[in-house]
Amino acid sequence: MNSILSIKGLGKKFGGVCAVDEFSLELEQGTIHGLIGPNGAGKTTIFNLMTGIYHPTAGTMALRGTNLVGLGSYRIAQLGIGRTFQNIRLFTQLSVIDNVVMASGVDATYGMVDAIFKTRRYQRDEAKIRKRARELLDLLGLGGVSDERAGALPYGSQRKLEIARALAARPVLLLLDEPAAGMNEEESMELVGFIRDVRKRFDLTVLLIEHHMSVVMEICDRITVLDFGKTICNGIPKEVQANRSVIDAYLGETTDREN
Amino acid sequence: MLSSYAQGLIILVCINVIAVTGVSLLTGFTGLFSFGNAGFMALGAYVSAIASVELHAPFLVSLVAGVLVAAIIGFGLGRLTLGLRGDYFLIATLGFGQVVQVLIEFFDKVTGGARGFANIPPKTTLWIAVVLAVGSVAVAANLIHSKFGRNFTAVREQEVAAEAVGIDTFRFKQMAFVLSAMFAGFAGGLFAHYYMYIVPKMFDINESALFTITVVVGGLASLSGSVISCVVLTLLPELFRSLASYRMLFYGMAVVAIILIRPSGLMGYHELSFGWIRERMRAKRGKTASKERKT
């Protein structure tokens, strides 16, 4: 097994409240892993811990052997963890393509002098960045709206644009926070196909938080279930569906409602 | 040939354009408000003046010395204060502007104190001012159209997202702040070698506020807007000069009017370019056409 991310005994306390407790996770290269649980279970907190927005009060995290605890958000992103946000955080005033170009810092190797004199190196890098941004937008079906203002896009397109922007930074691990939120069944299934496609194309590992059970069960290789900050189950979708405590904590509610 | 009054006005516009270009990078593009940039201008003015008069340094060396001192102080100040939230940062820069003035008055043996520093050689000619102003704007424009400008904009728009795509927001705030200090120091050096006589009061908070107002009126995120507004706001008080004591009143009313009529500034998020003008005209034509169709 080729582990890309290793989290051990991760904990986060806000004052006296334990948001995440003894969370451990091994992600295998190239897999899609689901993180599910009721609202307030600590899923987004785990994303925020992994991306350096919060700092953990206990535990260790490493990406391909590199320690992540205590690093700044930008540094973790540079090391290869990309993410989207549950409450979309686009550069709303800028154009769609500029949102993607903004994230292409890794492809801009030129220095300030190159920028001031628009040297050949600057032109080469910039041309490459624009081209790649256009390719990413086409891939997500946003090629036709690349000059629109990002804030003016419909909700679903904004979620897609966040994924395009995250991909522009060339991550090895992509964290998706409720990518299917606000999508109908058809759009969700389209998203499933798309996530599979990008994983393969960019050789990605994906960790996703999602409430649409159809999406999670369809796409995930493994699933971790959280409740009140604690891991209550970890396994392949079939095991999780069959697990008694999961049904009690989470799935049970959904089934009741659906029936 | 232009009258010396007109020449003086153009030089003053050029000097202000250089200082405002720095503030545009900092406030317009990075979204950090500073009320201390006149402090950096004072540093540039005094350092270059002292270098010219006491050390007999050539003009260019004096200017560079002023820029470097402004950059170093800007770096140190940024390091200490850029971690603060926006409004606290603003207050820190305001304090810095005051401190610079007080220190210049305190070290009166070197600076001449409140009486001022005189006999600076008049080196800032019309052509030097124009060429350097155009050059400064060109440098800033090229920076804006590179990853540096993009990273500044990312900081202004959405810091969390900027960090999430690998942008070290602190580093780019620091960079924008140092750049704005350098532009201010540069403008200060030219200012000193134009007026030949400087006093600390020339670089007070009013001057800092004027730079910020200029950028806001011109439209955040628009360098050309800042430049246009700088030309207008520098010349406006001169136009009302015959009205003597009322001129600042008209000036203030003009600023308020611009802000009320166009809250996003003269240029908003746009840059002045032929493409933009063409687009505007087409949009106008489209509007009138649709109106005609309705009637």
Side-chain angles (χ1 to χ4, degrees):
Chain A
M1 174 170 148
N2 186 6
S3 167
I4 184 167
L5 180 89
S6 170
I7 297 179
K8 290 196 179 78
L10 195 69
K12 177 66 185 175
K13 283 194 176 117
F14 291 106
V17 183
C18 199
V20 176
D21 188 31
E22 282 291 316
F23 177 75
S24 295
L25 181 69
E26 290 285 331
L27 287 186
E28 203 176 326
Q29 163 68 36
T31 55
I32 298 179
H33 196 107
L35 200 55
I36 63 172
N39 287 325
K43 303 176 302 275
T44 298
T45 306
I46 287 172
F47 271 21
N48 287 340
L49 289 168
M50 288 174 71
T51 51
I53 291 176
Y54 299 148
H55 293 294
T57 41
T60 61
M61 296 183 289
L63 180 74
R64 295 190 291 193
T66 310
N67 168 49
L68 298 178
V69 177
L71 298 185
S73 282
Y74 75 93
R75 188 71 202 117
I76 290 172
Q78 288 171 354
L79 286 171
I81 300 186
R83 73 172 292 181
T84 64
F85 294 90
Q86 185 182 1
N87 49 339
I88 305 172
R89 286 178 184 272
L90 288 169
F91 304 117
T92 49
Q93 295 290 334
L94 306 180
S95 71
V96 168
I97 189 159
D98 279 347
N99 267 271
V100 181
V101 169
M102 285 277 175
S104 307
V106 272
D107 292 326
T109 58
Y110 59 81
M112 199 177 261
V113 176
D114 292 297
I116 290 172
F117 294 103
K118 298 204 170 181
T119 59
R120 195 170 279 173
R121 187 159 163 211
Y122 160 89
Q123 290 174 359
R124 191 197 56 205
D125 283 1
E126 286 294 308
K128 200 173 106 186
I129 287 169
R130 294 257 149 210
K131 183 163 167 266
R132 184 148 188 276
R134 254 177 260 119
E135 283 168 6
L136 283 171
L137 288 179
D138 284 341
L139 187 70
L140 279 132
L142 295 171
V145 292
S146 64
D147 292 326
E148 305 266 319
R149 202 170 60 84
L153 291 184
Y155 194 67
S157 302
Q158 292 197 8
R159 290 216 169 273
K160 284 182 178 172
L161 180 54
E162 268 212 326
I163 298 176
R165 184 179 65 183
L167 290 173
R170 299 188 185 275
V172 290
L173 170 61
L174 186 60
L175 311 183
L176 300 174
D177 200 341
E178 298 195 26
M183 289 184 182
N184 61 32
E185 204 60 17
E186 191 187 340
E187 288 171 320
S188 302
M189 283 306 126
E190 194 192 327
L191 183 81
V192 165
F194 168 74
I195 293 173
R196 280 208 184 103
D197 186 35
V198 262
R199 180 215 15 201
K200 210 165 150 196
R201 187 190 288 247
F202 298 104
D203 196 22
L204 282 174
T205 307
V206 179
L207 178 63
L208 84 155
I209 294 173
E210 189 48 72
H211 284 297
H212 284 58
M213 276 312 120
S214 52
V215 172
V216 176
M217 294 304 165
E218 173 70 26
I219 198 175
C220 292
D221 300 306
R222 290 185 76 82
I223 295 168
T224 298
V225 190
L226 289 176
D227 197 17
F228 293 112
K230 289 188 164 49
T231 306
I232 55 172
C233 178
N234 183 1
I236 61 169
K238 269 204 185 114
E239 292 169 353
V240 170
Q241 275 171 314
N243 187 298
R244 192 66 235 167
S245 52
V246 175
I247 294 166
D248 285 347
Y250 189 56
L251 295 174
E253 287 174 42
T254 330
T255 347
D256 284 347
R257 221 183 291 139
E258 275 171 7
N259 295 342
Chain B
M1 206 45 217
L2 291 163
S3 70
S4 70
Y5 174 67
Q7 286 199 16
L9 274 186
I10 295 173
I11 293 175
L12 187 61
V13 166
C14 289
I15 291 170
N16 282 346
V17 162
I18 294 172
V20 162
T21 298
V23 178
S24 183
L25 287 177
L26 181 72
T27 305
F29 286 88
T30 317
L32 294 168
F33 282 82
S34 158
F35 273 156
N37 272 46
F40 292 116
M41 197 172 170
L43 286 175
Y46 273 87
V47 168
S48 69
I50 292 167
S52 282
V53 174
E54 307 291 345
L55 309 173
H56 307 290
F59 184 38
L60 187 68
V61 175
S62 304
L63 282 180
V64 171
V67 171
L68 282 182
V69 169
I72 292 165
I73 303 287
F75 184 84
L77 183 66
R79 186 108 219 147
L80 293 173
T81 58
L82 281 168
L84 299 171
R85 248 186 32 221
D87 28 7
Y88 293 99
F89 170 75
L90 177 72
I91 291 168
T93 59
L94 197 140
F96 165 75
Q98 299 296 94
V99 166
V100 169
Q101 275 195 73
V102 170
L103 286 181
I104 290 171
E105 285 179 22
F106 182 75
F107 291 107
D108 54 353
K109 286 217 172 63
V110 201
T111 62
R115 279 172 292 112
F117 190 89
N119 297 325
I120 307 163
K123 299 279 190 182
T124 307
T125 63
L126 180 66
W127 285 115
I128 289 181
V130 170
V131 168
L132 292 179
V134 170
S136 299
V137 174
V139 165
N142 284 359
L143 279 179
I144 286 164
H145 290 115
S146 73
K147 69 169 173 189
F148 299 100
R150 284 200 292 270
N151 292 352
F152 294 157
T153 307
V155 170
R156 181 194 69 207
E157 289 292 316
Q158 199 27 279
E159 269 192 61
V160 176
E163 289 262 332
V165 294
I167 297 169
D168 182 351
T169 53
F170 188 85
R171 180 167 163 246
F172 285 94
K173 283 182 194 173
Q174 176 81 274
M175 193 182 283
F177 192 52
V178 171
L179 281 171
S180 86
M182 290 170 81
F183 278 102
F186 192 41
L190 292 170
F191 182 88
H193 289 82
Y194 168 64
Y195 280 100
M196 299 181 283
Y197 169 72
I198 46 177
V199 282
K201 268 201 77 133
M202 287 171 167
F203 310 101
D204 61 3
I205 177 156
N206 288 327
E207 190 72 7
S208 293
L210 201 65
F211 295 149
T212 303
I213 289 170
T214 304
V215 170
V216 172
V217 166
L220 299 175
S222 172
L223 182 63
S224 45
S226 295
V227 172
I228 294 168
S229 124
C230 181
V231 175
V232 172
L233 292 187
T234 308
L235 295 180
L236 212 53
E238 298 299 327
L239 291 180
F240 296 130
R241 193 172 272 282
S242 54
L243 296 166
S245 51
Y246 292 108
R247 72 189 180 111
M248 287 318 279
L249 178 69
F250 283 111
Y251 172 81
M253 279 161 57
V255 169
V256 171
I258 291 171
I259 295 292
L260 285 178
I261 296 164
R262 284 188 71 97
S264 57
L266 287 172
M267 298 296 294
Y269 271 80
H270 305 283
E271 289 294 352
L272 186 68
S273 68
F274 289 114
W276 183 73
I277 293 170
R278 222 179 297 135
E279 214 171 274
R280 293 281 314 207
M281 287 171 75
R282 204 176 300 149
K284 269 234 172 88
R285 230 178 288 141
K287 231 184 241 167
T288 42
S290 65
K291 255 186 211 154
E292 277 162 14
R293 235 175 287 137
K294 264 180 209 157
T295 52

